[in-house]
Amino acid sequence: MTATRPRVVLTGPPGSGKTTVGTLLAQRLGLAFRDTDADVEATAGKPVADIFVDDGEPHFRDLEREAVTTALATHDGVLALGGGAVMDTHTQSALAGYAADGGTVVFLDVSLAQAAPRVGFNRSRPLLVGNPRARWAELMQARRPTYERLATVAVLSDDRTAAEVADEILQEVRS
């Protein structure tokens, strides 16, 4: 009997399209879509931004680690991780094990120019406070090596519709 695990795990920075592409991909595969940020919000009973303000980033990261661990063990659809989830060493190990067992980890890559209008840097993004574009670039520079190392598939979402990106991932999953 095969253990329950996601069919596809999406990683990448804010604005790469994890939620939009993930929802479309799940529909195409006839599976459920799950977002670990939504799981964290449900557990905490408040939005991610409020968790950062009220409880601090370390508390958010603890909740996020638990959400990722649970989803990797119980969700059999398409799973999107929060942008910073991959920086946790426990999550890195879990994703490496998932990939080694044949799982598909997709790094949705995106440029700052393309991410900016998607993210809407004027919205509440706790890690992008101050100069959002500069912070996004700093975070991406720090996270890119980890996204690339953990990915079994990398897809650039620049200048493409979410449907086009979902279709490319679908081809990778089916090949």
Side-chain angles (χ1 to χ4, degrees):
M1 187 163 140
T2 304
T4 299
R5 67 178 194 164
R7 179 76 187 272
V8 177
V9 175
L10 302 175
T11 67
S16 61
K18 296 181 299 289
T19 300
T20 305
V21 170
T23 300
L24 289 171
L25 182 61
Q27 289 171 352
R28 284 167 168 70
L29 290 167
L31 300 170
F33 173 75
R34 185 167 176 178
D35 184 319
T36 58
D37 278 349
D39 291 349
V40 168
E41 290 180 340
T43 297
K46 55 187 161 184
V48 168
D50 290 350
I51 300 168
F52 269 78
V53 170
D54 298 344
D55 309 311
E57 184 177 357
H59 180 67
F60 169 78
R61 295 298 176 195
D62 289 344
L63 294 173
E64 182 178 57
R65 179 183 318 105
E66 182 60 33
V68 171
T69 301
T70 299
L72 284 173
T74 64
H75 182 65
D76 61 358
V78 176
L79 178 64
L81 305 187
V86 298
M87 300 311 290
D88 178 81
T89 56
H90 174 79
T91 297
Q92 290 175 23
S93 294
L95 287 172
Y98 163 79
D101 194 32
T104 302
V105 178
V106 178
F107 165 34
L108 284 181
D109 198 358
V110 64
S111 67
L112 173 58
Q114 295 285 309
R118 294 178 187 177
V119 171
F121 284 144
N122 60 342
R123 292 190 298 175
S124 178
R125 297 274 180 165
L127 290 180
L128 300 179
V129 173
N131 181 340
R133 291 173 192 273
R135 283 293 298 140
W136 188 95
E138 289 169 12
L139 288 171
M140 188 58 176
Q141 182 178 9
R143 294 173 179 175
R144 177 177 292 284
T146 304
Y147 289 138
E148 290 174 344
R149 178 174 49 82
L150 293 172
T152 60
V153 176
V155 177
L156 182 63
S157 64
D158 281 10
D159 298 318
R160 302 170 70 196
T161 66
E164 291 169 334
V165 175
D167 287 342
E168 181 177 337
I169 296 168
L170 187 59
Q171 287 178 352
E172 292 286 341
V173 168
R174 289 187 171 157
S175 65

